Amino acid sequence: WQIVTQPELHQMQSEQYSQWMVPFIEQLIPLFEAIGDPEPQNAATFYAITLDTVMGVIVLGNDLFDKEKMLSILTKRFIDFKGGSP
C-alpha cells in the first residue's frame, strides 16, 4: 500500500524492479524466438513475470496454493510448450 500512496517509493521500487527484470526478459526472448513463438517478447515478459510472482507467493504465502499443482501448470505452459498460442 505504501508503494501506491508514496510516489517516490513507487518510482524507486519500479526502477529497481526494471533493472532486475529487463535483463532476464532480454535473455528469454531468443528462447521464445527459437521455439517459434509468434510474440517472443510478450511470451518472455509473461514467463518472467509469472515466475517472479510464483516465487513471491512461495516465499510469502506458500499456504495459499497447492505447490505441486502450480508446478504442473507451469510445466504445461512453459516446458511442454511447443510455440504458438497455448
Side-chain angles (χ1 to χ4, degrees):
W1 175 250
Q2 290 179 347
I3 291 175
V4 174
T5 61
Q6 297 179 20
E8 64 280 354
L9 184 58
H10 177 267
Q11 182 177 351
M12 181 181 73
Q13 289 296 312
S14 180
E15 289 172 4
Q16 289 175 353
Y17 187 74
S18 292
Q19 289 174 358
W20 177 80
M21 188 62 84
V22 168
F24 181 48
I25 292 168
E26 288 174 349
Q27 289 179 350
L28 292 170
I29 292 170
L31 297 173
F32 284 95
E33 289 173 339
I35 63 171
D37 192 288
E39 298 181 32
Q41 181 159 356
N42 289 337
T45 301
F46 181 73
Y47 180 75
I49 290 169
T50 300
L51 287 181
D52 186 52
T53 302
V54 169
M55 288 186 293
V57 170
I58 287 171
V59 171
L60 299 174
N62 61 359
D63 59 331
L64 298 174
F65 66 96
D66 180 343
K67 184 171 139 182
E68 294 304 317
K69 187 167 191 133
M70 292 300 292
L71 291 173
S72 174
I73 292 167
L74 287 171
T75 299
K76 287 177 186 171
R77 172 59 179 99
F78 294 112
I79 300 190
D80 295 339
F81 182 60
K82 305 297 184 212
S85 298

